[in-house]
Amino acid sequence: MKRVGIVGSREYTNRRKIKEFVYKLKEQFGDKVEVVSGGQKLGADGFAKKFALEFDMKYVEFPPRHYTNKQIVEYSDYIVAFMNKGQYTKGTLNTIETAEKMNKKVIILN
């Protein structure tokens, strides 16, 4: 099972980019992929959840709490961060830093 943590800003609005990314995960891994997110309704988290469920994919959510970023990183095989250029949020940067400390692969998409 491939676990892909998808994180990003609540202000991230490129839903098409996230939809295409999640769809490619489904095409590449089929039922052997799980989308992991923090469950925020807005932005990257919300789109990740929407499209994972829309494509009938496995989805795991770590609701917002103090240690959510760490839990997402620990549970995921790698992290994909969706961020607008110049808009680097504290939570997303913290998740990236945590992933790097745990030697997890991080992909940043604008």
Side-chain angles (χ1 to χ4, degrees), residues 20-80:
E20 288 172 356
F21 180 81
V22 172
Y23 183 76
K24 285 178 186 175
L25 287 175
K26 173 79 171 177
E27 280 189 322
Q28 185 175 3
F29 299 107
D31 290 337
K32 292 179 174 36
V33 67
E34 191 170 65
V35 173
V36 184
S37 179
Q40 289 290 337
K41 290 182 181 182
L42 302 174
D45 286 22
F47 294 137
K49 179 178 183 176
K50 174 185 176 14
F51 297 124
L53 297 177
E54 187 175 299
F55 298 140
D56 197 29
M57 297 170 72
K58 292 178 178 93
Y59 174 77
V60 173
E61 183 171 295
F62 291 94
R65 287 194 314 265
H66 183 66
Y67 295 108
T68 298
N69 294 339
K70 185 178 179 191
Q71 290 174 319
I72 290 170
V73 172
E74 287 175 339
Y75 188 79
S76 300
D77 294 313
Y78 65 96
I79 299 294
V80 179

Side-chain angles (χ1 to χ4, degrees), residues 4-17:
V4 182
I6 298 179
V7 299
S9 166
R10 290 184 194 121
E11 285 79 38
Y12 190 84
T13 58
N14 192 342
R15 66 186 297 146
R16 193 181 108 231
K17 189 162 201 158

